[in-house]
Amino acid sequence: PVEIENLARVIASTHTTSEKIYLPFDPLQARKIFNDISGIRAFVKKWLGPSFANLISQSTSWSNRFLKKHARRIQQRIDEGFKRDVHGDLHSGNIFLYRHPILFDCIEFNERYRQIDVLYEIAFLCMDLERFQKKSLSNVLLATYTRRFPCIEVAEDKLIFNYFKCLRANVRAKVHAMSAALKQDAQEVKHQTAEIKKYLALIKVYMKE
């Protein structure tokens, strides 16, 4: 937990000094990003069965309702300066825990992926820890981070953070599905499919929270 606390402090410190971005929230674009997972539905049905394929449909409907209900607060967070130019790809594979945590491989090729709500950034790492069944570490990370950078101001922000974790799991599921579609080796396809299943399972959990 000490390493996670140190990591959270480094991230919070970085975010605190990051440039604020005031580009308005685009509900249609947000809806499109989440619903893009529908493109892997046929693949998921073939390899994981109809229950997981149905989960994809359920999640897009859930996302549509969520975005409609919470669009005003998401925009308020932008107005309050919580959308910033940050790392953009903050998961465990891009962090080196040495004497001091080192964050690397930030997204440089597309500023749209970097200019995000700070909660969306931290949600990626929390989701990643939960994918490895480290929920306790995820909790420590968020608690330490928000003590240093208070960015959860109202109860609705907690719901938005949970939505962001679901969106991050959604994106990872799509990445693994695209990777699997390019593989010729049966074992590699099996590995990628197992990863997809884990992320879809997380989506199911987040939809209930």
Side-chain angles (χ1 to χ4, degrees), residues 9 30 49 54 57 106 109 112 115-116 119 125-126 132 163 165 169 175-176 190 196:
R9 293 186 189 103
N54 291 338
S57 300
C106 70
F109 61 89
R112 183 170 65 87
Q115 296 178 353
I116 54 179
L119 276 184
L125 187 51
C126 286
F132 288 108
Y163 177 83
K165 287 198 294 183
V175 168
H176 283 283
K190 185 177 180 180
I196 297 168

Side-chain angles (χ1 to χ4, degrees), residues 72-87:
R72 178 177 293 182
R73 178 56 190 163
I74 295 172
Q75 180 59 54
Q76 285 177 345
R77 289 184 57 81
I78 295 172
D79 296 338
E80 292 170 10
F82 290 122
K83 184 174 186 177
R84 304 198 176 195
D85 195 325
V86 292
H87 186 284

Side-chain angles (χ1 to χ4, degrees), residues 25-38 59-69 71 74 112 163 167 170 174:
F25 175 59
D26 185 343
L28 292 179
Q29 180 65 15
R31 180 171 174 163
K32 180 180 178 181
I33 290 171
F34 194 103
N35 293 355
D36 190 54
I37 196 173
S38 298
S59 72
T60 55
S61 296
W62 171 83
S63 174
N64 293 341
R65 293 192 300 270
F66 185 94
L67 291 171
K68 183 177 181 179
K69 184 176 181 179
I74 295 172
R112 183 170 65 87
Y163 177 83
L167 176 54
N170 167 306
K174 288 185 292 188

Side-chain angles (χ1 to χ4, degrees), residues 168-196:
R168 288 296 192 178
N170 167 306
V171 172
R172 295 306 295 170
K174 288 185 292 188
V175 168
H176 283 283
M178 290 187 291
S179 179
L182 297 174
K183 302 297 182 182
Q184 300 295 326
D185 181 71
Q187 283 299 112
E188 184 59 30
V189 172
K190 185 177 180 180
H191 168 72
Q192 296 294 341
T193 304
E195 291 298 308
I196 297 168

